[in-house]
Amino acid sequence: MRPSGRDLNEMRAVSIETGFTKHAEGSCLIKMGDTHVLCTATIEDRVPPFIKGSGLGWVTAEYGMLPRATNTRMRREAASGKQGGRTVEIQRLIGRALRAGVDRVALGERQITVDCDVIQADGGTRCASITGGWVALRLAVNKLMKAGDVISDPLVDPVAAVSCGIYAGQPVLDLDYPEDSEAGVDGNFIMTGSGKLIEVQMSAEGSVFSRAQMDQLMDLAEKGVSELAAAQKAAAA
């Protein structure tokens, strides 16, 4: 039995509220259970120096957690003068994931920055950030297309992510914090809406896993991402 009472292959309740902030070109508040992330997308008519003049666009991301997103207060990273290693790793992951679904030639020489701010954390914050980040990106690109700034849609396939793991000896979908903290195996699966893999992060957290178990987790991830892609499509319609 899962602590939440969910079935092994059952996602947490997912909601995506678009237009959550006034000024960003695209924004949404994504809720995956008790994990809540504010995602905003900002369009700029510039690109990093290493692709300047190439005609290619760029999508990047930043990630952060509010001090009381967790059970006890965390010190703001700005107070220490630098980002922690976990933050840097996650925001690079988000950027890589989102770029996998973008035709950078069609985007043109401009940059879209997706900011993911965790308001409340209960496991799976990077997955929620990627999933919500795509919706914010979609809304920002819609504005570019409506204005005629891009001719063809540069977003070729939705991108979403979900966690899966082995909890109490059973493969489970969409781990919340009580499961994540106790899981023997933990994985994050980033996929396109058409089911293609972008990145898989799998690690044993106290117990090893077999190829058969990994296949079971892959099957769960495919189910979860298909549900998330449907939620993205409905939110950004």
Side-chain angles (χ1 to χ4, degrees), residues 115-130:
D115 287 290
C116 303
D117 293 289
V118 180
I119 298 172
Q120 184 170 282
D122 187 41
T125 61
R126 71 188 68 194
C127 294
S129 295
I130 291 168

Side-chain angles (χ1 to χ4, degrees), residues 166 184-185 203-210 213:
I166 306 293
V185 176
S203 59
E205 303 283 351
S207 64
V208 296
F209 57 98
S210 66
Q213 287 175 313

Side-chain angles (χ1 to χ4, degrees), residues 13-90:
V14 177
S15 71
I16 304 174
E17 180 181 349
T18 57
F20 195 77
T21 63
K22 177 180 179 179
H23 300 294
E25 282 77 28
S27 70
C28 73
L29 177 69
I30 182 169
K31 297 181 179 180
M32 295 181 66
D34 285 334
T35 289
H36 302 170
V37 184
L38 171 62
C39 303
T40 57
T42 301
I43 303 170
E44 298 173 285
D45 289 322
R46 65 179 182 88
V47 291
F50 66 88
I51 58 169
K52 192 172 183 179
S54 68
L56 297 174
W58 189 248
V59 175
T60 188
E62 293 190 12
Y63 168 94
M65 296 181 70
L66 296 184
R68 281 313 303 268
T70 52
N71 191 40
T72 56
R73 186 184 187 276
M74 300 179 298
R75 188 184 185 198
R76 293 183 190 272
E77 290 182 321
S80 63
K82 65 176 182 178
Q83 292 179 310
R86 177 182 180 274
T87 297
V88 172
E89 184 264 326
I90 290 176

